[in-house]
Amino acid sequence: MNFPPFEHALEKHYYKIWQSRGHFEVDGDHSKPPFSIMMPPPNVTGRLHMGHALTLSLQDILVRFKRMDGYRVLYQPGLDHAGIATQNVVEKQLLAQGVKKEQIGREAFIQKVWEWKEACGGQILEQMQELGVSCAWSRLRFSMDAGLEKAVKVAFKAWFDQGLIVQDTYMINWCCKDGALADIEVEYQEELGKLYYLRYPLENGGEVVVATTRPETFFGDVALMVHPEDARYQHLIGQNALLPLTQRPIPIIADSYVDPSFGSGCVKVTPAHDPNDYSVGQRHNLTPLVIFDAQGVLNAHAEDFAGLDRLEARPKIVEALQEGGYIQEVQEHPHQVGVCYRCASPIEPYISKQWFVKQEVATGSIEKMAQGLAQFYPPHWRNNYNAWMQELRPWCISRQLWWGHRIPVFTCTHKHQFVPLETPTHCPTCGDTNLEQDPDVLDTWFSSGLWAFSTLGFGQEGFEGFEGVKFHADDLKDFYPNSVLVTGFDILFFWVARMLLSGESLLGKLPFKHIYLHALVRDENGEKMSKSKGNVIDPLELIKTYGSDSVRFALAMLCVQGRDLCLNPKVLEQAKHFSHKLYNAALFLSTQTATKVTEFQTSLGAYAKSRLNATTKEVRHALELYRFNDAATTIYRFFWGEFCDWVLEFSKAYKNSQEAPLVFGELASVFKEGLRLLHPFMPFVSEYLHQSLSKSALENSPSIMLSPYPKDTTQNAKLEARFNLMKESITALRRLKILLNAPIERATIESTTPLETEDLQCIAKLSKIPTILIASSKPPKAISDRGELGVVHVGLEGVNVGGLVHRLRGQLEKLKKEQAKLNLDNPQFLAKAPKALLESLQERNKTLLEKQAQVQKELSMLEG
């Protein structure tokens, strides 16, 4: 049996066979219970990263498990158009050629983006297949395909007609490069800025000092503001101050929003360029004064600085203020600065006319989540979700882009607005044929928010080329709500919350029964991966080095609920070695003469089956609770720690016996059933070994993925106790042989667990001690090794006990001296030593303590 565990040609070959046979597609047997899971559609902006690899691996584990377990599975694949990100990528490509998008126009630019999507999207799909993802490829959707475009229009119209989508002038987050952003699309960075103390002359003489971090916005000041109970300024309330440089009079008002301890206790009010000032302006009927345009360029209100970018203008404005004597002092000031999550440009609060979804759209989803109609895993994410939803504000859904779903609102010359589902010819209100469509596109998350049901045919009934091809008539009934959502916690508010409110609002049901949020994949040092740090790990490079199965299995083993994954190469090596261990076990079994198994007749075969059943019970329980690390670790422990290390070791005692064919037939049967348990985690290796042990080839045989997932969880407690005592006795006898360093001809075992004659013969063969007997008490002049289930006794006739004791005491003394050299009892050393050094020394100390405990135990046995 030749085993190429990490040969990509084999993985690709198997994948093509699975796919060509339709194993990934939805089973036509409607009697099977449905199971649906939606792939979070990767953005068509580049290659998959480790976060994608984790999400896809976990999803595929569940999908393969449920498919083998008799479910009618839909694993929905897709790609997202990623409005801002994709437009930025294509714009940069054009700029590198010296071309701006405005030069080629909207239609030509969109065509360029479609070309990029086709090239990049194809690469992403190939990368998914490298990972072994078993989704229904015939149903692949793109968030801007014609069917989903219709679904977006249906959803938009439903909310528009209900008054849940409105157009309004409001202060929003504005990126001067990318346009309007929703609140959660703003990221905040700590920045060491400056606090400027500006002198504002008073109209009636004197001056007042105002502190600001953004002096370039003072041209937009419409008032100064103090706290109504601040005794320092009460006499100024109602007076006018004069704007520096321009001498424009502005009133001094009082509002409890002011923090008297900040700066001078007097602040400027700039309603057009600060969200808090905007609220103040509304309370005091102040008219906002916009001082720069959508690109951040100062306008005529900035007088001599008009035409300059607001950031470029700052130092020049500060210089002019200093020359005019308007700056009292400048202090360093650390503060949070909002930046665009896509291009990292500074965000400006900006008053703009945009389209919004009202927060009332989420009322139903909030109520149903409170009723427990969908469960979060881990459960603490429910608190995060609830807290965010309680503070929900109107969702700005219009984006000043060309790439994306065009806002389907048309306006006639009489200002009537309407949302048609097909391209209109006239206004339904007045019949006007002069119509104009809104130039903006929808926020990417609007279409993504429909993903749980738009892919199932929502709004596309009878749509040619889609119904019966990309979805089927009963899909919404069969697969909505989805069974589970698996995604990263970092898009809980971007995507998950929006799918919850969209699904409930439009279909009356929450879109998921279970929501599993995994943590971030970090590097081996626990650092977040980023290009700037140079620690980004490409999952495809890992697959080339370790194989797809090893990457999947390592990610599953590391995926502890609620804890970030530190991608340590040691875990990948461990998974790789695990594949080799499985191969060696299969190779050993394939070289033995085996009889076909109809029932388990040997104690070893029955024991191996009992332990597999215990493993099956644990794995099933872990998968149902999305405890992927527990499931993977349990499988690893069974195959390596139990089957390979002990069951196959026990089998050597039968190797030349008449029972050998029966024993090895039973063990091969258990191993093959274990491979079915393993298959969702390591699909390629499990397929190869299953076919090899069956003396078949996938090319002309059924796949392991069509086999039923193991269900038998019955255990034989008495039989397991026998073998546990055997394992314990063999380990103890081997340990005593090493300790005594002398031939042992006879040993006895004392235990309440009964052993059969064949058990004693097996212990004798594996411990290489000719005679093993049962004892009821410790024989005279014997050394004993006590375990949890029994005690083994070995006579000391002819053994120099005194010499052994002297040697062991010497070892103990040496270990204690080595421990003292670590200097871990020195407070001064502990205070100064680097963290990495301390961790290394503490690990060494732990090892030394374990060795001391073992030597002390051996001394106790000899002296006892």
Side-chain angles (χ1 to χ4, degrees):
M1 181 168 64
N2 297 317
F3 180 46
F6 311 117
E7 187 177 304
H8 291 289
L10 175 73
E11 295 178 346
K12 289 182 177 180
H13 180 59
Y14 277 178
Y15 194 92
K16 285 180 180 178
I17 293 175
W18 291 333
Q19 187 177 2
S20 65
R21 290 180 181 174
H23 291 342
F24 303 158
E25 302 300 326
V26 179
D27 194 318
D29 185 354
H30 286 259
S31 67
K32 293 181 177 181
F35 179 86
S36 57
I37 189 167
M38 301 290 164
M39 177 188 296
N43 295 341
V44 287
T45 51
R47 298 167 64 84
L48 296 181
H49 54 63
M50 285 310 304
H52 292 125
L54 174 62
T55 299
L56 295 170
S57 295
L58 299 183
Q59 287 186 325
D60 199 54
I61 287 169
L62 291 176
V63 163
R64 288 179 182 268
F65 161 50
K66 290 294 184 179
R67 192 183 285 125
M68 294 175 74
D69 212 28
Y71 284 77
R72 184 169 178 256
V73 172
L74 167 60
Y75 184 11
Q76 176 67 53
L79 295 168
D80 192 82
H81 66 280
I84 293 176
T86 305
Q87 177 156 323
N88 282 343
V89 168
V90 178
E91 277 195 71
K92 287 178 181 177
Q93 291 177 341
L94 289 174
L95 288 172
Q97 303 167 22
V99 178
K100 291 184 177 181
K101 71 178 190 298
E102 289 78 11
Q103 293 175 256
I104 61 174
R106 183 168 190 151
E107 295 304 318
F109 177 76
I110 289 175
Q111 181 57 41
K112 291 285 185 183
V113 183
W114 275 106
E115 291 171 5
W116 161 262
K117 177 265 171 185
E118 291 303 317
C120 185
Q123 292 176 4
I124 292 174
L125 300 182
E126 289 177 9
Q127 291 162 5
M128 291 181 189
Q129 294 177 3
E130 292 256 350
L131 199 59
V133 174
S134 62
C135 51
W137 288 115
S138 69
R139 293 173 173 247
L140 176 68
R141 303 302 296 267
F142 177 55
S143 61
M144 280 183 60
D145 69 35
L148 296 187
E149 183 180 19
K150 187 174 181 185
V152 166
K153 289 180 180 178
V154 170
F156 190 101
K157 180 174 175 59
W159 283 343
F160 182 86
D161 291 347
Q162 295 173 52
L164 292 171
I165 289 181
V166 296
Q167 190 178 36
D168 202 356
T169 300
Y170 194 73
M171 174 159 281
I172 60 167
N173 297 293
W174 184 267
C175 172
C176 292
K177 183 178 186 302
D178 294 321
L181 297 176
D183 292 344
I184 56 173
E185 293 174 321
V186 179
E187 295 181 348
Y188 290 90
Q189 299 176 354
E190 183 76 21
E191 180 180 285
L192 182 59
K194 293 179 180 179
L195 189 61
Y196 300 86
Y197 287 81
L198 306 183
R199 294 188 176 99
Y200 282 65
L202 297 174
E203 195 173 46
N204 297 327
E207 65 181 23
V208 64
V209 176
V210 174
T212 180
T213 58
R214 303 177 68 208
E216 69 276 10
T217 64
F218 89 91
F219 290 109
D221 291 356
V222 296
L224 297 184
M225 180 168 59
V226 298
H227 194 279
E229 297 178 5
D230 191 336
R232 294 173 297 174
Y233 300 115
Q234 283 187 347
H235 67 287
L236 296 181
I237 298 171
Q239 293 190 36
N240 284 341
L242 300 176
L243 202 68
L245 300 181
T246 71
Q247 305 304 304
R248 173 166 56 87
I250 56 175
I252 299 174
I253 63 174
D255 195 287
S256 57
Y257 166 75
V258 179
D259 178 4
S261 65
F262 175 76
S264 65
C266 180
V267 297
K268 55 202 282 302
V269 183
T270 318
H273 300 287
D274 183 279
N276 296 313
D277 290 2
Y278 181 77
S279 299
V280 170
Q282 289 183 316
R283 288 198 296 272
H284 293 268
N285 295 316
L286 299 173
T287 302
L289 193 64
V290 177
I291 64 166
F292 53 76
D293 64 15
Q295 285 71 47
V297 176
L298 293 169
N299 59 27
H301 290 297
E303 299 191 350
D304 293 344
F305 304 96
L308 294 176
D309 176 86
R310 85 270 188 223
L311 298 180
E312 294 175 356
R314 178 182 293 181
K316 297 179 180 179
I317 292 171
V318 169
E319 183 180 359
L321 289 168
Q322 286 175 326
E323 290 176 355
Y326 293 109
I327 293 184
Q328 184 185 71
E329 64 175 314
V330 180
Q331 297 177 352
E332 288 191 343
H333 179 65
H335 62 133
Q336 295 284 323
V337 176
V339 297
C340 176
Y341 81 117
R342 285 298 185 193
C343 67
S345 300
I347 291 299
E348 292 291 347
Y350 194 67
I351 296 175
S352 179
K353 190 175 185 180
Q354 302 289 337
W355 289 97
F356 295 88
V357 177
K358 291 182 176 180
Q359 60 263 49
E360 287 80 5
V361 75
T363 301
S365 62
I366 293 172
E367 291 175 353
K368 287 183 170 63
M369 288 299 294
Q371 294 168 17
L373 298 182
Q375 302 295 322
F376 276 107
Y377 295 84
H380 70 262
W381 285 114
R382 177 176 175 173
N383 297 331
N384 296 66
Y385 167 82
N386 288 340
W388 189 74
M389 296 302 284
Q390 287 169 7
E391 301 297 324
L392 200 63
R393 293 171 52 180
W395 169 18
C396 179
I397 56 171
S398 47
R399 297 291 182 269
Q400 289 64 53
L401 302 172
W402 286 355
W403 173 245
H405 288 280
R406 186 90 173 260
I407 289 178
V409 176
F410 286 79
T411 307
C412 71
T413 52
H414 298 95
K415 305 302 180 184
H416 298 134
Q417 288 186 325
F418 62 100
V419 177
L421 295 180
E422 304 295 339
T423 303
T425 57
H426 62 277
C427 173
T429 302
C430 65
D432 188 358
T433 58
N434 189 6
L435 307 175
E436 184 177 346
Q437 185 175 359
D438 194 292
D440 289 349
V441 301
L442 286 166
D443 175 14
T444 300
W445 299 104
F446 187 97
S447 54
S448 297
L450 312 178
W451 191 252
F453 51 93
S454 62
T455 53
L456 299 175
F458 169 82
Q460 303 153 71
E461 297 82 357
F463 198 63
E464 187 177 351
F466 287 86
E467 184 169 1
V469 180
K470 296 297 183 180
F471 68 90
H472 295 273
D474 293 332
D475 279 358
L476 274 171
K477 176 174 66 70
D478 292 346
F479 298 118
Y480 187 89
N482 305 161
S483 303
V484 59
L485 173 70
V486 176
T487 191
F489 77 87
D490 51 331
I491 55 173
L492 170 58
F493 307 125
F494 281 98
W495 190 45
V496 181
R498 283 168 176 166
M499 283 196 289
L500 288 169
L501 68 85
S502 299
E504 194 286 328
S505 173
L506 294 166
L507 293 176
K509 295 180 182 178
L510 294 174
F512 321 106
K513 298 169 185 174
H514 294 163
I515 303 164
Y516 172 79
L517 301 177
H518 63 70
L520 297 177
V521 183
R522 298 179 179 270
D523 69 11
E524 61 182 301
N525 299 313
E527 296 287 334
K528 188 173 181 180
M529 295 183 193
S530 69
K531 292 180 180 178
S532 60
K533 292 179 181 176
N535 64 344
V536 173
I537 300 172
D538 185 339
L540 295 186
E541 290 302 317
L542 293 183
I543 288 173
K544 289 178 183 177
T545 304
Y546 298 100
S548 174
D549 284 335
S550 295
V551 172
R552 290 168 60 116
F553 198 74
L555 289 172
M557 290 215 315
L558 289 168
C559 196
V560 180
Q561 281 193 14
R563 189 185 305 169
D564 285 346
L565 292 76
C566 294
L567 196 58
N568 193 320
K570 291 180 181 178
V571 182
L572 290 159
E573 288 289 343
Q574 182 183 8
K576 180 180 176 181
H577 294 324
F578 181 49
S579 291
H580 284 303
K581 191 76 170 180
L582 293 170
Y583 166 67
N584 289 330
L587 180 62
F588 173 76
L589 290 171
S590 69
T591 59
Q592 307 303 311
T593 302
T595 303
K596 188 174 181 180
V597 175
T598 54
E599 60 178 331
F600 288 89
Q601 301 177 44
T602 70
S603 57
L604 180 57
Y607 166 71
K609 182 65 166 69
S610 182
R611 291 310 304 149
L612 175 63
N613 291 352
T615 303
T616 298
K617 183 178 181 180
E618 287 188 52
V619 170
R620 280 182 163 275
H621 181 68
L623 287 178
E624 294 294 353
L625 294 177
Y626 313 108
R627 304 191 72 87
F628 297 95
N629 67 302
D630 289 342
T633 302
T634 300
I635 291 173
Y636 180 91
R637 187 179 64 234
F638 167 74
F639 272 115
W640 194 306
E642 296 194 68
F643 193 89
C644 294
D645 284 357
W646 277 112
V647 172
L648 292 185
E649 185 74 3
F650 284 132
S651 74
K652 294 174 183 176
Y654 297 88
K655 198 166 185 182
N656 298 316
S657 70
Q658 291 183 343
E659 280 189 303
L662 191 57
V663 167
F664 286 109
E666 291 177 355
L667 297 188
S669 174
V670 170
F671 190 81
K672 286 172 66 177
E673 187 173 349
L675 289 174
R676 300 209 308 268
L677 201 67
L678 173 70
H679 176 75
F681 298 84
M682 305 182 86
F684 298 108
V685 169
S686 59
E687 181 75 86
Y688 176 82
L689 296 180
H690 187 269
Q691 297 293 342
S692 298
L693 282 172
S694 301
K695 304 293 190 291
S696 60
L698 179 60
E699 289 78 0
N700 49 34
S701 301
S703 169
I704 189 176
M705 68 184 292
L706 300 182
S707 305
Y709 203 72
K711 290 184 178 180
D712 191 353
T713 59
T714 57
Q715 290 178 250
N716 187 328
K718 290 183 179 179
L719 186 61
E720 289 195 26
R722 275 174 54 194
F723 274 88
N724 285 338
L725 177 57
M726 291 167 64
K727 289 191 285 186
E728 189 179 275
S729 300
I730 292 167
T731 302
L733 290 169
R734 288 172 174 173
R735 190 161 53 230
L736 288 173
K737 287 180 71 175
I738 294 172
L739 172 64
L740 298 177
N741 194 25
I744 298 175
E745 297 297 325
R746 173 190 174 95
T748 59
I749 300 173
E750 180 185 348
S751 176
T752 57
T753 300
L755 291 174
E756 304 290 337
T757 301
E758 65 174 330
D759 301 341
L760 297 176
Q761 293 172 347
C762 183
I763 294 171
K765 285 185 179 180
L766 297 183
S767 64
K768 296 182 180 179
I769 296 175
T771 303
I772 304 291
L773 301 172
I774 297 295
S776 58
S777 61
K778 180 180 178 179
K781 294 184 179 179
I783 184 173
S784 303
D785 193 324
R786 182 175 296 276
E788 293 182 6
L789 299 174
V791 187
V792 296
H793 308 293
V794 173
L796 292 174
E797 295 85 357
V799 177
N800 182 3
V801 176
L804 283 175
V805 170
H806 178 74
R807 178 170 61 83
L808 289 172
R809 285 178 177 168
Q811 286 182 14
L812 189 61
E813 188 64 27
K814 184 178 179 181
L815 289 168
K816 288 181 177 179
K817 287 181 179 178
E818 189 174 347
Q819 184 184 12
K821 290 179 181 178
L822 298 179
N823 215 15
L824 290 175
D825 57 351
N826 184 338
Q828 293 181 337
F829 171 74
L830 294 175
K832 296 180 180 179
K835 181 182 177 182
L837 174 61
L838 280 178
E839 289 176 352
S840 174
L841 293 176
Q842 287 164 353
E843 191 64 31
R844 177 61 181 158
N845 186 57
K846 180 182 176 182
T847 302
L848 291 173
L849 287 172
E850 289 171 353
K851 289 182 177 180
Q852 288 178 45
Q854 180 60 36
V855 173
Q856 192 62 60
K857 179 181 178 181
E858 293 171 353
L859 277 170
S860 299
M861 289 190 296
L862 290 168
E863 295 173 334

